[in-house]
Amino acid sequence: DAKTTQPTSMDCAEGRAANLPCNHSTISGNEYVYWYRQIHSQGPQYIIHGLKNNETNEMASLIITEDRKSSTLILPHATLRDTAVYYCIVLHNNAGNMLTFGGGTRLMVKP
Amino acid sequence: KAGVTQTPRYLIKTRGQQVTLSCSPISGHRSVSWYQQTPGQGLQFLFEYFSETQRNKGNFPGRFSGRQFSNSRSEMNVSTLELGDSALYLCASSLAGGVSSYEQYFGPGTRLTVT
């Protein structure tokens, strides 16, 4: 699976958009980009995933660059409850259902 | 729809004992995966069950085992507990195999402390 690089930490003001970047320059054509987050003392939470096109759901939007070497997760109106560690993962569809999280980005939403 | 439930939420055991953890997946989900999470090692995959069969296995010793029942509920067992087994054990369910399997829904975890 391709390696990802994310900033260690970011701050965001409550009510503003949080834009979390992820670099995955070695991504291959059939690898998907997945985002999860983990709020302190809770299990990880699936957010969104995509292959080529931008995706949006009730939680977030995922913007993938045309060359697919990077992506951005956007939380349109961050709340204090969005404070968490956000993980960007690149997965091949036959990687055996195993999720592995790297360091992730610790997002702190401030009032 | 109810989420993934895990029992118990907290557990304290002593070295050498064994422990069984339980996981009930989201209704309709047939795949259940187990993970161990520690501050030092991060999230590590233990195994995945689908239709009562172990489909994938991580790199853990044989002391770690699991099973899945016909209703998709799953249990994992750790025998001869060691201090290093202290961790948060997470269960995740997903609909089925293939790409959608990475859309996994996690339970709150069982925090196991071995003394």
Side-chain angles (χ1 to χ4, degrees):
Chain A
D1 297 321
K3 180 179 162 54
T4 62
T5 304
Q6 298 177 253
T8 306
S9 63
M10 289 180 64
D11 289 345
C12 177
E14 190 178 18
R16 304 297 293 269
N19 297 284
L20 293 97
C22 179
N23 285 324
H24 31 78
S25 57
T26 60
I27 193 170
S28 64
N30 53 5
E31 287 183 312
Y32 287 71
V33 180
Y34 277 75
W35 283 83
Y36 277 78
R37 72 180 183 184
Q38 189 165 21
I39 296 168
H40 183 62
S41 297
Q42 296 184 22
Q45 180 185 23
Y46 165 81
I47 301 173
I48 199 167
H49 74 277
L51 181 64
K52 297 182 194 178
N53 301 319
N54 299 337
E55 302 287 343
T56 295
N57 63 20
E58 65 279 2
M59 284 184 70
S61 294
L62 174 61
I63 310 297
I64 302 174
T65 57
E66 196 169 335
D67 63 8
R68 303 207 327 122
K69 293 187 177 183
S70 65
S71 61
T72 302
L73 178 75
I74 301 172
L75 308 178
H77 305 287
T79 71
L80 299 179
R81 288 177 296 181
D82 292 321
T83 292
V85 180
Y86 287 77
Y87 298 99
C88 167
I89 314 154
V90 172
L91 289 166
H92 192 278
N93 64 1
N94 67 351
N97 210 47
M98 308 171 208
L99 283 175
T100 304
F101 292 168
T105 296
R106 186 171 297 277
L107 176 68
M108 179 74 72
V109 180
K110 299 184 173 180
Chain B
K1 192 185 268 191
V4 177
T5 57
Q6 292 187 245
T7 56
R9 291 292 311 278
Y10 302 92
L11 205 50
I12 300 175
K13 291 285 190 179
T14 56
R15 275 180 298 175
Q17 287 187 311
Q18 71 146 16
V19 66
T20 298
L21 312 181
S22 181
C23 171
S24 292
I26 291 171
S27 177
H29 284 194
R30 297 168 63 193
S31 167
V32 173
S33 298
W34 287 90
Y35 295 84
Q36 181 196 67
Q37 189 174 39
T38 59
Q41 299 293 322
L43 191 75
Q44 294 187 283
F45 174 79
L46 280 155
F47 28 66
E48 183 221 357
Y49 285 86
F50 179 76
S51 292
E52 301 179 66
T53 302
Q54 187 181 87
R55 189 162 64 170
N56 292 294
K57 189 176 188 308
N59 212 18
F60 277 79
R63 300 186 296 108
F64 293 81
S65 62
R67 59 178 175 167
Q68 185 180 33
F69 302 95
S70 58
N71 61 359
S72 293
R73 191 177 69 83
S74 178
E75 289 180 346
M76 70 161 277
N77 185 76
V78 187
S79 62
T80 320
L81 284 166
E82 301 176 359
L83 294 179
D85 297 333
S86 294
L88 181 67
Y89 289 88
L90 293 157
C91 163
S93 76
S94 60
L95 272 172
V99 173
S100 64
S101 64
Y102 300 118
E103 188 175 331
Q104 298 184 18
Y105 295 87
F106 284 80
T110 294
R111 183 160 299 280
L112 171 66
T113 302
V114 182
T115 61

